[in-house]
Amino acid sequence: MNGEDLEHLLRVQHDAVHLHQAVLHGLLQCAWGRQPLLLPADQQAMLAGLLVRWVAQATVDSEEQAVALLQARSGLRRLAEASGLDLASLLSQALLPMPGCDLASLTQNSRYKLALLADAALLSPAALLEWGRQEPVLAMLFVIQALDVQTIERPAWVAVNRLIEALPDLPLADLPLSVLNPLQQACFRLSYLDSPQRYLAKQKLVEQSRHMLALHDRLRTQCPLPPPRPRPLLLVVGEGLRDGHALFRFFAEPIRDLRKHFHVVLLSDHSVNSGSASELADEIIYFASSDDPVQAWCRQIGDLAPDIIFYPGIGMSFATFTLSQQRLAPLQVASIGCPSSSCSPVIDATLLFEGLQAPAGLPLAIRYDRHRLRPARPGAGAGKVQASRAGQACPCIGINAMAIKLNDDFLSTVETILQRYQQPCRLRFMPNVDGVELQSLMRMLLSRFPGAEVLPSMGHQQYMNELAQCDLVLQSFPYGGANTTTDALDLHIPVVALGSPWLSGQTDWLLLHDRGVSGLCTWSREEYIELAMKLLQDGKFASEVRQQLQQAQQPDARSLQGAVSAGDALWAFWQQHAGESV
């Protein structure tokens, strides 16, 4: 947004209809999200006031209007944060006649807007549960929307954790199918949030989605038996299976290996039709384009009548989220492309690499040898990396974590490390966002870490070059990052990780173990801090770690002899359970 956009809003501010249309257009067309907010502080305050007026005047008289506000909420949050006004304050000014007022005192229209534009800080758990008893549709909408949150600041972190604890006790609601997309996004975000109750809450949202699918006749609970075939047909339902994506890097080899035993069909989007991704399967088909996508995709799969379905990851896309809740094949197996449970009751088993401990509630574990997890090394050379670090006057600490992984607990740990170090150093964040989202994130991060670098989204080669400037990488927690760990280790940069019993807290340890530096994975916050301090202060120790990483080798052919591959593991599973659900 720039000065011209603001001038237009000021011209129409007294015309509620035109103001509503202008703000909706800017939010829904992403015109205000792609670029930073190019307004001085006084004009940012004027914008915040106009957004308050827009929310106060908006009406929700139809499902179309409700869907528009539902879709506008994410852009509204980021724009408000970039202009210095958090969403809770904006909604309070627009909808609540006084702080802490009772929901019953609000009009129906105001309660509906509160649900569609929600912020967790506005309701206590008791108030949310009471709302659920009185108006279950609005209470569930509120939760789904409020999970789109940035938990960098402590109050937001506390508020969303209270909401997550209350969510499992909410009743299911008869929501329209238009809410399925934000519901998928809410489940995805829940996997990353720093809450011990996140999977209980995610399970509730999956129950909610299945309730909606059944309510609208979009839930398949039975599938026909596949016809006899020379080779069983294995359908891979893919997300992100394209060159350079994390899922392709980690799952291309296991998927290719399936072709030893199965006729493999890949169902994915058109991003797989070029490069090495096009060689993954015997056949590639694409998700049908339809106004009723879930129904169309289920028909596609029904026509194939697969013997077994394999999801490398579940939850990052709307397709894998909705399809994984259907019974579309006698056997349905998932892996950990998104390392958290899908919570789907119709996933029969989980393909895990050896060494991972399956948490309680995860479907039956099928194991293959973990050294096959290690992706190919990127092309950056160690000599270039060493030279790029050599001229730095002070150490550079890298934090390569998506914005959603940055939470108050992790950032408080980073603050403690910097306070104890008490020497000049560079702090470099790489959150992989841009536009207004980057601007709002910078505002929050720089308030805690003055002088830190917050880099915009970039291509892979530039990202590797920027990462190569770092002397130390601090891995986020509780949700780590296999890509970050792999890339940093390939550049011979020490990584400090914090392990946990969750799947998302185990992969870093396995990757570090494979390189002979499992000691870089700690198991308490204090150990994490002490290890980071040692790497910053003890040059000899840091040099020894880098030397270990330089000498680490990929497994040779002899080490692979007798290994159980992904294809072998799934073949044994299919032979044991062919023709029936587990």
Side-chain angles (χ1 to χ4, degrees):
M1 169 178 272
N2 55 34
E4 291 183 6
D5 297 316
L6 180 62
E7 286 179 12
H8 176 66
L9 294 182
L10 290 170
R11 285 196 299 270
V12 300
Q13 64 177 311
H14 299 297
D15 185 329
V17 173
H18 283 91
L19 177 64
H20 186 72
Q21 292 173 343
V23 174
L24 263 188
H25 178 79
L27 293 175
L28 295 181
Q29 300 301 316
C30 301
W32 295 347
R34 286 189 290 267
Q35 300 297 326
L37 187 62
L38 303 175
L39 298 174
D42 60 331
Q43 292 186 355
Q44 289 183 20
M46 294 170 65
L47 171 63
L50 288 170
L51 293 176
V52 169
R53 173 177 291 200
W54 174 74
V55 172
Q57 294 178 346
T59 57
V60 190
D61 296 326
S62 66
E63 183 176 341
E64 182 181 1
Q65 290 175 324
V67 170
L69 288 185
L70 195 75
Q71 296 172 343
R73 191 264 182 193
S74 181
L76 177 66
R77 174 181 69 80
R78 291 166 182 166
L79 194 62
E81 290 170 350
S83 62
L85 181 66
D86 63 85
L87 184 60
S89 298
L90 187 155
L91 295 177
S92 294
Q93 293 179 40
L95 301 176
L96 305 182
M98 63 185 68
C101 69
D102 189 81
L103 282 172
S105 67
L106 303 182
T107 66
Q108 172 70 19
N109 189 58
S110 291
R111 293 198 303 276
Y112 207 165
K113 288 188 289 186
L114 185 64
L116 293 166
L117 302 174
D119 189 285
L122 295 176
L123 287 184
S124 67
L128 175 63
L129 293 174
E130 178 59 29
W131 199 10
R133 287 186 283 271
Q134 300 297 325
E135 295 179 304
V137 166
L138 296 189
M140 186 60 75
L141 266 178
F142 179 91
V143 169
I144 291 169
Q145 292 291 81
L147 286 171
D148 175 18
V149 62
Q150 183 55 256
T151 57
I152 287 176
E153 296 173 336
R154 186 73 183 179
W157 183 86
V158 170
V160 80
N161 269 273
R162 291 188 311 184
L163 179 144
I164 289 170
E165 290 175 6
L167 172 54
D169 294 324
L170 278 180
L172 299 178
D174 294 346
L175 291 167
L177 283 177
S178 56
V179 181
L180 262 182
N181 207 304
L183 181 55
Q184 174 259 320
Q185 289 294 316
C187 281
F188 175 69
R189 288 189 292 267
L190 259 176
S191 299
Y192 290 89
L193 290 175
D194 181 19
S195 168
Q197 304 298 318
R198 62 188 182 275
Y199 291 123
L200 283 176
K202 184 176 180 180
Q203 184 175 347
K204 183 71 175 193
L205 288 187
V206 169
E207 291 174 9
Q208 173 63 48
S209 65
R210 287 175 60 81
H211 175 76
M212 292 161 60
L213 289 165
L215 182 69
H216 299 283
D217 196 26
R218 297 295 186 277
L219 186 67
R220 297 199 179 190
T221 58
Q222 292 182 321
C223 66
L225 285 177
R229 296 182 170 106
R231 304 177 80 205
L233 191 156
L234 184 148
L235 178 68
V236 177
V237 181
E239 56 182 10
L241 292 176
R242 57 185 180 274
D243 287 342
H245 193 280
L247 275 168
F248 179 78
R249 292 180 64 190
F250 285 91
F251 284 94
E253 181 184 342
I255 291 172
R256 289 191 191 101
D257 190 66
L258 299 175
R259 297 171 70 180
K260 290 191 305 186
H261 303 290
F262 300 95
H263 179 80
V264 176
V265 178
L266 171 61
L267 174 61
S268 188
D269 58 39
H270 284 272
S271 64
V272 303
N273 64 4
S274 62
S276 52
S278 62
E279 303 168 2
L280 291 178
D282 298 296
E283 298 178 53
I284 297 179
I285 59 176
Y286 304 105
F287 291 117
S289 178
S290 171
D291 293 334
D292 189 354
V294 177
Q295 193 86 305
W297 299 336
C298 286
R299 286 198 196 101
Q300 274 186 289
I301 296 175
D303 291 342
L304 284 173
D307 295 273
I308 182 170
I309 292 178
F310 174 54
Y311 297 90
I314 292 176
M316 288 193 290
S317 71
F318 181 72
T320 61
F321 175 73
T322 52
L323 291 175
S324 66
Q325 297 176 46
Q326 318 278 345
R327 173 57 70 182
L328 299 169
L331 297 174
Q332 303 187 151
V333 179
S335 194
I336 56 165
C338 181
S340 64
S341 172
S342 69
C343 297
S344 169
V346 292
I347 294 298
D348 304 308
T350 308
L351 186 66
L352 294 175
F353 41 92
E354 191 61 52
L356 278 182
Q357 300 301 312
L362 200 71
L364 175 71
I366 308 169
R367 298 188 179 277
Y368 68 104
D369 286 288
R370 73 169 182 264
H371 57 247
R372 292 180 181 266
L373 170 75
R374 189 187 298 183
R377 295 177 184 270
K384 177 181 177 182
V385 172
Q386 293 293 343
S388 66
R389 287 196 208 106
Q392 295 181 170
C394 59
C396 179
I397 300 173
I399 298 175
N400 178 49
M402 292 191 304
I404 198 171
K405 296 182 182 180
L406 299 175
N407 59 74
D408 177 72
D409 193 31
F410 168 63
L411 294 176
S412 295
T413 303
V414 177
E415 286 175 323
T416 301
I417 292 168
L418 296 178
Q419 289 164 4
R420 292 190 189 179
Y421 184 52
Q422 293 186 335
Q423 299 292 326
C425 70
R426 296 167 61 196
L427 185 61
R428 168 171 288 191
F429 289 93
M430 290 175 275
N432 194 29
V433 294
D434 48 27
V436 167
E437 185 175 6
L438 176 66
Q439 194 171 9
S440 65
L441 197 65
M442 288 179 67
R443 181 186 285 270
M444 296 179 195
L445 288 173
L446 293 179
S447 69
R448 297 184 71 155
F449 304 99
E453 303 169 43
V454 185
L455 304 184
S457 179
M458 63 193 77
H460 182 74
Q461 186 56 54
Q462 184 183 352
Y463 147 70
M464 291 297 290
N465 291 338
E466 297 291 350
L467 187 64
Q469 304 294 318
C470 300
D471 297 278
L472 170 66
V473 168
L474 298 180
Q475 184 61 280
S476 59
F477 57 79
Y479 203 107
N483 260 327
T484 296
T485 299
T486 299
D487 293 337
L489 296 182
D490 283 341
L491 295 171
H492 310 147
I493 302 170
V495 178
V496 179
L498 180 62
S500 77
W502 304 105
L503 285 174
S504 57
Q506 296 183 51
T507 49
D508 287 322
W509 179 86
L510 283 173
L511 289 166
L512 292 166
H513 179 271
D514 277 353
R515 304 295 178 95
V517 288
S518 57
L520 294 181
C521 185
T522 62
W523 299 95
S524 74
R525 185 173 178 270
E526 188 57 35
E527 287 178 358
Y528 184 101
I529 294 168
E530 290 175 357
L531 179 57
M533 293 297 299
K534 187 173 183 180
L535 285 163
L536 287 169
Q537 294 176 326
D538 188 338
K540 181 181 178 182
F541 173 66
S543 179
E544 289 172 352
V545 171
R546 284 193 288 270
Q547 189 172 7
Q548 279 183 279
L549 295 174
Q550 289 172 350
Q551 294 171 350
Q553 299 294 321
Q554 293 276 21
D556 59 25
R558 287 171 297 178
S559 70
L560 301 180
Q561 291 177 1
V564 177
S565 70
D568 295 336
L570 269 185
W571 177 247
F573 174 74
W574 184 83
Q575 286 184 309
Q576 183 179 358
H577 299 286
E580 61 184 56
S581 296
V582 176

